[in-house]
Amino acid sequence: MDVYLVPIGTYKYECYYEAPEETDDDTEVPSSGFFGRLRARFNDQLKEAERARHERVVDEPDSFLGRWQKRTLRWIAERIAEQRLLWHLRTAPTATLHVPDDIQGGEAVMRAAMKRDADFHRIRLVIHCVGLLLAIPVALVPGPNVLGYVFTFTVVGHYLAWRGAVNALRVTAWTIHPNPPLGDLRRAFALDAAARHRVIHDVARRLHLPRLSGFVEQVTTPRDRKSTRLNSSH
């Protein structure tokens, strides 16, 4: 498994993983009873959200609940993209962390990020479990029960993400690989916008990561996510 410590600024980084378009069926919850039904509902949501992610919808549904459910699917698709790395890490015995070739301390930054993610998803898991318990009367009933739909996804999603972050910290054996294209990307943030745009797309092409350019340009908008500073080696 290849994870990339991607520069989103001169001294800002985020972990990035580009998975193939697939659904994640191994949710590590029991296969029967309430949790079995929860798992089945979650997997159905993954498939439906991935389809919605690639569809261009011209006409919105007529009903309020239909529009709400469609928007919920789009929100779920965004959360899938955000949590995909952690979901895959929960079963990864080994992984390679690609870091810019001109920095030091990349593994420490990754581990700090995983610790924050583990704490965040553990807390959210407890909160959303309470929400799901309150939504049980509608959570498993067929139809556009958006409340149950959302809590079903968030409970299982936070559980998988928490397990992934914990596994990355305690089990996964990491190999650190200095990566020259990522170094070029880090230095590109000293360039003007047009030149930086060209470098971002060139790095994505060199790394064979077709969705990397969109990720970097999205998170380097004024609404940047929280990131960690890292000292360069020069």
Side-chain angles (χ1 to χ4, degrees), residues 61-230:
D62 293 332
S63 68
F64 171 75
L65 284 177
R67 291 192 299 271
W68 193 10
Q69 186 176 32
K70 183 64 68 175
R71 291 167 186 168
T72 300
L73 279 174
R74 294 175 188 146
W75 178 84
I76 287 176
E78 293 174 358
R79 303 291 82 75
I80 291 171
E82 291 175 355
Q83 297 182 22
R84 184 78 77 185
L85 166 62
L86 295 177
W87 292 358
H88 280 262
L89 279 172
R90 79 186 194 280
T91 57
T94 62
T96 298
L97 181 67
H98 299 262
V99 303
D101 62 346
D102 60 349
I103 61 154
Q104 297 174 338
E107 183 175 3
V109 169
M110 178 274 295
R111 289 187 173 279
M114 293 298 165
K115 177 63 167 63
R116 288 195 304 272
D117 286 341
D119 293 341
F120 173 83
H121 289 290
R122 185 184 68 249
I123 293 171
R124 290 299 187 276
L125 174 60
V126 172
I127 294 172
H128 286 266
C129 277
V130 174
L132 179 61
L133 290 174
L134 296 176
I136 280 177
V138 297
L140 299 175
V141 177
N145 299 310
V146 180
L147 183 63
Y149 202 82
V150 169
F151 280 117
T152 298
F153 172 81
T154 56
V155 166
V156 180
H158 284 305
Y159 170 77
L160 297 180
W162 170 69
R163 286 291 304 271
V166 170
N167 192 72
L169 290 169
R170 298 179 180 176
V171 178
T172 304
W174 291 90
T175 299
I176 309 304
H177 176 71
N179 190 296
L182 290 180
D184 294 341
L185 178 58
R186 191 188 74 82
R187 292 184 290 273
F189 287 94
L191 305 176
D192 62 79
R196 181 169 64 248
H197 175 81
R198 289 193 295 271
V199 172
I200 290 172
H201 283 265
D202 179 64
V203 168
R205 177 187 58 80
R206 291 160 62 192
L207 293 177
H208 306 289
L209 299 173
R211 295 185 288 277
L212 176 63
S213 57
F215 168 80
V216 173
E217 292 183 335
Q218 178 183 359
V219 300
T220 54
T221 63
R223 295 174 296 174
D224 281 349
R225 300 172 184 176
K226 292 182 181 180
S227 305
T228 305
R229 295 184 64 88
L230 180 67

Side-chain angles (χ1 to χ4, degrees), residues 20-26 42-51 80 84 87-88:
E21 293 299 332
E22 59 185 13
T23 55
D24 199 334
D25 292 330
D26 178 18
F42 175 77
N43 290 332
D44 289 342
Q45 288 174 335
L46 290 188
K47 295 173 184 177
E48 192 172 354
E50 290 287 10
R51 285 195 298 268
I80 291 171
R84 184 78 77 185
W87 292 358
H88 280 262

